[in-house]
Amino acid sequence: MQSPEQAIKVRLLLFEDLERKQVESEQVVDKPAQLQNGAILGLPNELLLRVISLLSTGSIRNLMVNRSFRSVCEQGLYRSILLPRHPRRSIRLLETFLLRPDLALLVRYLEIDLSWRYPWLIPSSQVPPDLQPDGLEALCLAKNIHSLSLAGVAGWIWQPEMAKFREAIFKLKLVRLQVPNIHDPHTEYGCSWPGESDSEDEWDGDLGDEIRRLLQAQSQLEEFKLSDSSITYKTATSLQASLKASDVLNLKSLQASPVVAKAFLPVAARLESLNLTISNWGDRLLSEMESKSAAIKLSIRRFTIRVWYSDEWLWNNLAKVFALFPKTEELSVTINSLTTATDVEPAKYFFEKVGDNVYVFPSLRRIEVRFETLHRETPKIFEVEIGSMLRARAACPMLETVVDPEKRLWTFRPDHGMLGGCAPHLLGLLMTDHLVQENDLPAPEGSVS
């Protein structure tokens, strides 16, 4: 028989064993919960940022539940900011930069609207004093920007009063720069933006030289977009006379009007993507483009062009324009039909024109045709015929995909009963290229929302 002392020891051992098993059981039960709670935070930041980049601004705001997750979410929110047509939200963004300079350093891609500088749009009384007159101090805090688009400010490249702003932009190490609007002081019409000074009346400089200075300051620039096609012939001629290969050593992609592009084509040896904005084409312009593009014509792989629906010369000579860059692999044509006239041909007419002239591209892999119109509700205005795709595929055996005016993506499948041995196959609608933030960014921690 056990003594009382031995019985107590056995009970204590049994109790300890039972307690240990209970603890282990609780740990086993709690472990999945712990994994579920910590699984997301346990992921590498690179993967978290990739996930966050796919979410809307509102969804990301809902994830900012603690300090650790807020830090990761802020990196995702501020890495790419697209506010090209939102002046008031641009004001709030610059205020945030002043309040939290660390957030400004996170920005890599920025599209901002500075039109709030003009009192006719937003009264100066509604603009914080710290941002007047141009928000330069706040913008300078975003020192790590690689891609920049400056909307709503048209004369910063040359206006004397914008010298400090200009120098701040020069100091950035940009890979991509978009200048949506340029107020050319040499315009014969003497127009100016409302609220701007009349400094062009006193300025005796050369806008072509100023654009060249901008390019010289950005030695790493790979993509340059001069979206505005209102640059004067005088400025374009000056740029053609002065631009050197050393000014655009790394330039790979250019958007500009044909008259401006002529300055870049002979000197941009690495250019592979060309986007020509709308212009009035004719024999003289075609001849000049042929001459200027001789050295680069075999290097262009992506060719984009925007044209008037009513440009009869162009539609009658489309193959000649396409033949400027015969090694094109990706072609995009935008037809501008923004007219109040209701008797304009529908998209299929122009789609057929494009398809019938792509035979000059033996290496063509992708076609996209866009149709800009004020009459989007007109029945069948965006519809296209399958036959046009089949003829394009027969002329370009390497053609893989087509994007029609309805933004639908087509590919080709083998079908020996069809022209060229292939039949178009609809994959579906394309997603928007990029989404502008639909909500304001969340207020910085510790600030008043």
Side-chain angles (χ1 to χ4, degrees), residues 353-373:
K353 287 280 189 181
V354 173
D356 289 344
N357 287 276
V358 295
Y359 62 86
V360 299
F361 298 130
S363 303
L364 191 64
R365 296 180 179 276
R366 184 178 189 272
I367 300 174
E368 179 175 9
V369 177
R370 301 184 179 188
F371 189 65
E372 301 172 338
T373 177

Side-chain angles (χ1 to χ4, degrees), residues 341-360:
T342 57
D343 58 347
V344 176
E345 296 285 356
K348 67 178 181 181
Y349 171 82
F350 302 100
F351 187 85
E352 183 177 356
K353 287 280 189 181
V354 173
D356 289 344
N357 287 276
V358 295
Y359 62 86
V360 299

